[in-house]
Amino acid sequence: MTEIHEGPPLADFTDDQLPLQCVYRRERERPDAPYLTQPIGGGAVDVYTFGRTVGEARRLAAYLRSLELPAGSRIALVTKNCAHHFIWDLAIWMAGHVSVSIYPTVAAETLQYVLEHSEAKLLFVGKLDVWDEMASGVPEGLPLVRCALSPELDAQSYEALVEAHAPIADDPVRDADDVVLLCYTSGSTGKPKGAMITARASIAGGSTMGARLGMGPEDRLISYLPLAHAFERGLLEIPSFQHGFQVFFAESLDTFIEDVQRAKPTVFQSVPRLWIKFKLAIEAKMPPARLARLLKMPLVGGLVRGKILRGLGLEKVRVAGSGTAPIPGEVLEFYDRLGLTMVEGYAMTENWCAATLGTPGRHRVGTVGEPVAGTRFRISASGEIEMQSPGMMNGYFKQPEVTAATFTEDGWLKTGDRGAFDDAGSLRITGRVKELFKTSKGKYVAPAPIENLLNTSPGVELSCVMGRGLTQPIAVVQLDEATREAFASDPGRVEAQMEDVREAVNAQLEKHERLDRVIVSAGEWTIASGLLTPTMKIRRAAIEERHADLLNAAALAPEGVQARA
């Protein structure tokens, strides 16, 4: 009989927990409390109170009502993280429609696909860096609304619409089973799929995170990961409606540290790549051996910890989180030595971030925590994680066959991830089902654990392990910034360094997993190049395709010889 792993019982549901009911309560009870802090350039900020935020949403909802669109029409928004995203979501829901948030870095073809597939009736255009490259993807005749942070374009002004319309006087609500948003998956392959999320499902991630982390109005978070992704939408935006905490936004990549220092977040969530970048930056200023020695000194250690965390803007963080991809245990242990309590979580768009989450103070390194309230897990005979969740999507928009293939016959979500539960009830992810490959020797290899070892090695920022049909696996690595510069001037020295990395990693692997060679990719893997997803996970198929000729040549070279991309 298959073993079932369950989270605590789910608290009784009431309509008062839904997003609109929560913001109306904030509007009544805390109208003057600071809510959204928006940078507007040059270090200046604009602070939105709850009263102002909901008031502007009411005015925009009046405009949307005036359009007399059919109930449940899809309204799209494309913007970097900013206060307008929150206001536009609320207005769309107040007017009885469905929000479709699109990544601010997508190519024109993807923008066109999502707008046409969702049958969007209107597009809000917000803060963007690459509008000129995206604009051709807007279908002819689709109405546009722009805000003060938008690039120049021929569109109606959000500010003018807010000024011209009186706020709606009623408090419209949505039925718990209404679909309120479509979340198009970034996807590592193929066309994006639009997960249909109901009002009830939309609060699942925030409710479970709030219960486990004790979220409340006194907390401060900074929003900088893409709001079109379930991670940021489900664990920051909608939870801010639920728990009333203050949200800060980042102005730009160049000002990110200053933005974090302004926010002084009490909860800080990120992706593994950023945590690794922070670690590398710290170690670049202070060699790891010296830092470890100083941290062991009672008085000096405390001073060093404080200085490092203040430099990152994280000195007020009571709990930090990592998600969207595995983070090496070594990185978690590094931050633990700095006094930063960090937990991992596991979630998907399809379960709206209600899956597992570590518990502060007893999180087990190498796991993604325990099941959250209302969730159930089982491991299939093939090792795939299957689950049920209060955040489960209603399916993919206009794709019933794909939806059916995503669930088992008895209604469990097939996650596509491989994993197992340890004896304490924590889930360990061991890789993707489809990423598992077989070498020419007939041995199966899971690339993710090997990539975790590579990604914490000196000089390596990202890696992609492959080897289907080869005698032994091989790896392509993207070097970190400093090592890329060194590679340009002295490639031989860096190649020797990568050979040391290969040998160190191989010493920790089974014989059939050991890397035959490391290929150094001189170019940077970016979202724009199509080699990373918007949440900075590698697009494995794209990387393999990009390096196909080089990989074929490398497979014929002597063991350990490195090629250059």
Side-chain angles (χ1 to χ4, degrees):
M1 185 174 180
T2 303
E3 185 177 6
I4 305 295
H5 299 264
E6 299 182 276
L10 193 65
D12 292 338
F13 171 80
T14 66
D15 285 346
D16 285 345
Q17 299 168 356
L18 297 176
L20 286 179
Q21 285 88 324
C22 288
V23 296
Y24 297 145
R25 191 160 58 249
R26 308 290 170 206
E27 181 188 35
R28 290 192 306 270
E29 298 174 357
R30 303 176 61 216
D32 299 324
Y35 175 35
L36 306 175
T37 298
Q38 175 64 56
I40 54 176
V45 298
D46 190 6
V47 179
Y48 290 69
T49 62
F50 280 106
R52 177 185 172 187
T53 300
V54 184
E56 290 194 15
R58 287 180 177 278
R59 290 175 178 272
L60 190 61
Y63 160 70
L64 292 175
R65 282 182 175 180
S66 74
L67 300 179
E68 298 183 347
L69 299 171
S73 292
R74 272 71 61 196
I75 309 292
L77 44 154
V78 58
T79 179
K80 294 172 68 177
N81 298 40
C82 63
H84 295 89
H85 193 293
F86 287 48
I87 295 169
W88 294 344
D89 263 347
L90 293 173
I92 291 167
W93 296 338
M94 289 177 184
H97 300 310
V98 177
S99 171
V100 183
S101 184
I102 302 173
Y103 288 96
T105 54
V106 296
E109 302 94 301
T110 303
L111 178 65
Q112 181 176 351
Y113 173 81
V114 173
L115 291 173
E116 292 180 346
H117 184 267
S118 67
E119 302 171 21
K121 304 298 185 186
L122 177 73
L123 174 63
F124 288 107
V125 180
K127 182 180 179 182
L128 293 171
D129 294 331
V130 291
W131 175 249
D132 289 345
E133 300 170 19
M134 304 167 65
S136 63
V138 178
E140 186 175 353
L142 182 68
L144 305 179
V145 174
R146 67 177 299 272
C147 69
L149 299 177
S150 306
E152 288 296 327
L153 68 152
D154 183 16
Q156 295 184 87
S157 163
Y158 162 74
E159 288 78 13
L161 291 175
V162 167
E163 180 70 24
H165 289 79
I168 59 173
D170 57 324
D171 291 350
V173 296
R174 303 298 293 272
D175 186 86
D177 295 324
D178 279 357
V179 172
V180 295
L181 64 92
L182 296 184
C183 187
Y184 277 82
T185 59
S186 59
S188 55
T189 59
K191 296 282 189 184
K193 303 185 293 291
M196 297 183 287
I197 306 298
T198 65
R200 187 199 306 265
S202 77
I203 66 170
S207 297
T208 55
M209 180 183 73
R212 191 152 291 182
L213 303 184
M215 302 291 292
E218 70 285 352
D219 282 307
R220 299 185 304 277
L221 282 78
I222 182 166
S223 176
Y224 63 96
L225 298 171
L227 278 163
H229 192 277
F231 187 72
E232 191 80 347
R233 199 103 167 271
L235 294 180
L236 190 147
E237 182 195 37
I238 294 175
S240 78
F241 303 152
Q242 298 171 262
H243 305 299
F245 51 74
Q246 193 171 354
V247 177
F248 294 75
F249 298 96
E251 183 171 347
S252 68
L253 183 61
D254 292 339
T255 66
F256 181 69
I257 292 296
E258 290 88 346
D259 295 324
V260 178
Q261 290 170 335
R262 177 194 300 119
K264 290 183 170 53
T266 57
V267 176
F268 185 79
Q269 52 196 29
S270 192
V271 295
R273 189 182 182 194
L274 185 64
W275 289 118
I276 292 171
K277 275 181 171 289
F278 279 172
K279 177 177 179 290
L280 291 172
I282 293 166
E283 292 176 340
K285 293 181 178 180
M286 186 178 297
R290 181 166 182 256
L291 176 60
R293 187 167 61 254
L294 291 176
L295 291 177
K296 291 178 180 178
M297 299 179 183
L299 180 59
V300 174
L303 295 173
V304 171
R305 290 184 185 93
K307 183 176 181 179
I308 291 173
L309 294 179
R310 281 193 302 275
L312 296 174
L314 304 180
E315 73 271 21
K316 298 294 184 182
V317 171
R318 60 182 181 82
V319 62
S322 180
T324 77
I327 186 170
E330 175 188 329
V331 177
L332 291 177
E333 292 166 352
F334 173 82
Y335 286 105
D336 183 63
R337 291 194 294 273
L338 289 180
L340 197 65
T341 300
M342 186 178 291
V343 297
E344 283 189 89
Y346 169 67
M348 301 171 62
T349 300
E350 289 79 359
N351 56 47
W352 204 244
C353 299
T356 71
L357 182 63
T359 303
R362 60 183 182 87
H363 181 65
R364 308 189 78 175
V365 173
T367 77
V368 292
E370 310 90 23
V372 298
T375 59
R376 305 176 73 219
F377 289 83
R378 69 186 187 189
I379 308 298
S380 74
S382 64
E384 183 175 8
I385 302 165
E386 298 175 347
M387 72 169 301
Q388 297 176 336
S389 167
M392 200 65 74
M393 67 172 181
N394 271 21
Y396 297 117
F397 186 58
K398 298 195 300 188
Q399 292 184 289
E401 292 181 359
V402 178
T403 299
T406 305
F407 290 87
T408 64
E409 292 184 359
D410 56 347
W412 291 70
L413 175 70
K414 295 188 285 187
T415 67
D417 290 309
R418 297 171 59 85
F421 282 87
D422 65 17
D423 55 4
S426 292
L427 179 62
R428 187 180 304 276
I429 307 296
T430 58
R432 294 285 293 170
V433 171
K434 292 181 180 179
E435 288 176 356
L436 198 70
F437 60 82
K438 185 190 289 186
T439 66
S440 62
K441 296 178 180 178
K443 297 288 187 178
Y444 284 100
V445 175
I450 305 173
E451 289 161 357
N452 272 346
L453 294 174
L454 286 165
N455 293 348
T456 55
S457 300
V460 178
E461 183 171 317
L462 290 169
S463 62
C464 181
V465 172
M466 56 202 78
R468 185 172 285 107
L470 300 179
T471 303
Q472 288 290 136
I474 57 180
V476 178
V477 300
Q478 177 190 284
L479 305 174
D480 62 37
E481 186 174 358
T483 312
R484 279 201 301 274
E485 293 176 0
F487 185 70
S489 60
D490 189 357
R493 181 173 66 83
V494 173
E495 288 177 350
Q497 179 184 345
M498 289 301 105
E499 177 61 14
D500 290 341
V501 166
R502 184 182 79 94
E503 292 179 356
V505 168
N506 280 348
Q508 303 173 68
L509 300 176
E510 297 294 330
K511 186 175 181 179
H512 70 279
E513 298 173 318
R514 291 173 188 163
L515 298 172
D516 191 60
R517 68 199 74 256
V518 171
I519 296 172
V520 177
S521 178
E524 185 177 3
W525 300 351
T526 64
I527 298 168
S529 70
L531 301 183
L532 297 180
T533 71
T535 50
M536 296 186 287
K537 292 184 286 189
I538 62 170
R539 292 188 186 274
R540 193 174 300 277
I543 292 172
E544 289 190 14
E545 182 178 354
R546 174 73 62 89
H547 298 91
D549 293 342
L550 195 59
L551 296 178
N552 290 337
L556 301 175
E559 180 180 332
V561 170
Q562 290 153 343
R564 304 176 198 169

